[in-house]
């Protein structure tokens, strides 16, 4: 039987419905998730519509350029943790939206959170280190880097270094062993990490080590030990969150 124009119209409509790709809820271009304030007319509304930003902690859409929303900025609990060879500053206690944000960045592939969280950490910590400071992320083992596809500490370090105008070095420290994920290990297993990291190249400037969470300081202390052994004169640390060690 010959096809009519109406049959062709319905067939084309059905094909379009079948092959149309679903809209990802987490996509920044999905206007359904953008609040009315962001879509409001005017220069600010139009700019936010073109490139809307999301709070790196709670994930809510915001109409300003800050990496976190006002309520989340108020939740910051800065701390300075002192270890044998290292002083670490952190922006939030490991809980609530801060814990969820780090977990989603680290285990759920939400890489969009990384650099904004690094910028948020810079703002939360306040005074930057000396302008000559070089920012170094805690490196992953090759196996974990292949499995995850990215280094969350590297994304955080990039945002923090950009916010403070500091040099960033991803290639200065390498991990030479894979001793298991920190979050899977109990306190008595978290002894020294000396020998797990090695420095590649020369070290002269002060170093700021960046990681996502500081618990016992084992990881960053291991990186610091390698840097100090290589001749670095000053090493400090920065982490998005801090928490107490598990017994």
């Amino acid at each position: 039987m010959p096809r009519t124009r109406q049959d062709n119209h319905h067939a084309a409509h059905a094909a379009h419905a079948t092959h149309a790709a679903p809209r990802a809820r987490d996509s920044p271009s999905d206007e359904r998730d953008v609040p009315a304030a962001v879509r409001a007319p005017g220069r600010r509304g139009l700019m936010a519509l073109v490139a809307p930003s999301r709070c790196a902690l709670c994930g809510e859409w915001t109409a300003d350029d800050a990496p976190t929303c006002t309520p989340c900025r108020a939740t910051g609990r800065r701390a300075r943790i002192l270890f044998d060879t290292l002083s670490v500053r952190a922006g939030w206690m490991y809980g609530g939206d801060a814990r969820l944000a780090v977990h989603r960045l680290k285990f759920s592939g939400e890489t969009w959170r990384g650099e904004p969280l690094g910028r948020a950490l810079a703002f939360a910590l306040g005074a930057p280190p000396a302008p000559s400071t070089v920012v170094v992320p805690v490196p992953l083992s090759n196996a974990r880097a292949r499995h995850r596809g990215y280094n969350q500490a590297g994304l955080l370090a990039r945002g923090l270094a950009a916010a403070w105008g500091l040099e960033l070095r991803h290639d200065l420290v390498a991990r030479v062993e894979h001793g298991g994920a920190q979050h899977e290990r109990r306190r008595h297993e978290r002894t020294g990490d000396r020998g797990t990291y090695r420095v590649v190249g020369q070290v002269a400037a002060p170093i700021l080590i960046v990681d996502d969470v500081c618990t016992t300081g084992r990881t960053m202390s291991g990186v610091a030990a390698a840097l100090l052994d290589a001749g670095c004169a000053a090493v400090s640390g920065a982490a998005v969150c801090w928490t107490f060690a598990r017994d």
Side-chain angles (χ1 to χ4, degrees):
M1 178 180 293
R3 296 169 65 91
T4 65
R5 179 180 298 178
Q6 185 175 10
D7 291 334
N8 290 334
H9 173 76
H10 288 314
H13 179 74
H16 176 75
T18 301
H19 297 289
R23 301 181 72 184
R25 183 172 178 81
D26 285 337
S27 171
S29 62
D30 193 343
E31 190 175 337
R32 294 172 301 171
D33 288 339
V34 182
V38 174
R39 299 196 302 267
R43 183 175 182 275
R44 168 62 69 179
L46 290 174
M47 288 294 291
L49 182 59
V50 172
S53 60
R54 298 178 69 175
C55 173
L57 288 180
C58 68
E60 292 294 323
W61 293 99
T62 62
D64 57 32
D65 298 327
T68 52
C69 64
T70 301
C72 284
R73 285 196 291 275
T75 65
R77 291 187 60 184
R78 287 187 297 180
R80 183 184 293 273
I81 310 107
L82 300 178
F83 301 104
D84 290 341
T85 60
L86 188 68
S87 171
V88 178
R89 292 193 294 163
W92 286 266
M93 191 171 182
Y94 190 58
D97 285 332
R99 177 184 181 277
L100 189 60
V102 168
H103 193 276
R104 287 179 170 173
L105 166 64
K106 197 169 181 177
F107 302 114
S108 299
E110 294 190 8
T111 55
W112 67 267
R113 294 181 186 267
E115 291 187 43
L117 269 177
R119 298 200 311 271
L121 176 60
F123 297 147
L125 296 183
S132 60
T133 300
V134 174
V135 178
V136 174
V138 170
L140 295 178
S141 68
N142 291 333
R144 190 163 297 279
R146 286 193 300 269
H147 174 75
R148 187 169 296 161
Y150 60 93
N151 181 2
Q152 74 282 351
L155 298 176
L156 296 168
R158 185 182 301 166
L160 184 143
W164 277 343
L166 301 176
E167 180 183 355
L168 172 64
R169 289 283 304 274
H170 289 278
D171 59 347
L172 188 60
V173 180
R175 185 169 184 131
V176 296
E177 295 178 352
H178 178 50
Q182 287 295 294
H183 70 279
E184 297 171 350
R185 305 169 75 175
R186 295 293 177 178
R187 185 173 186 175
H188 70 275
E189 297 174 308
R190 299 185 182 192
T191 56
D193 238 356
R194 203 180 199 95
T196 302
Y197 303 95
R198 62 184 176 88
V199 175
V200 182
Q202 296 182 341
V203 178
I207 301 296
L208 177 67
I209 305 166
V210 176
D211 205 0
D212 48 8
V213 180
C214 179
T215 303
T216 63
R218 176 184 187 272
T219 298
M220 282 195 279
S221 292
V223 177
L227 289 164
L228 293 170
D229 288 346
C232 182
V235 182
S236 59
V240 175
C241 294
W242 61 276
T243 185
F244 298 108
R246 297 178 297 172
D247 293 328

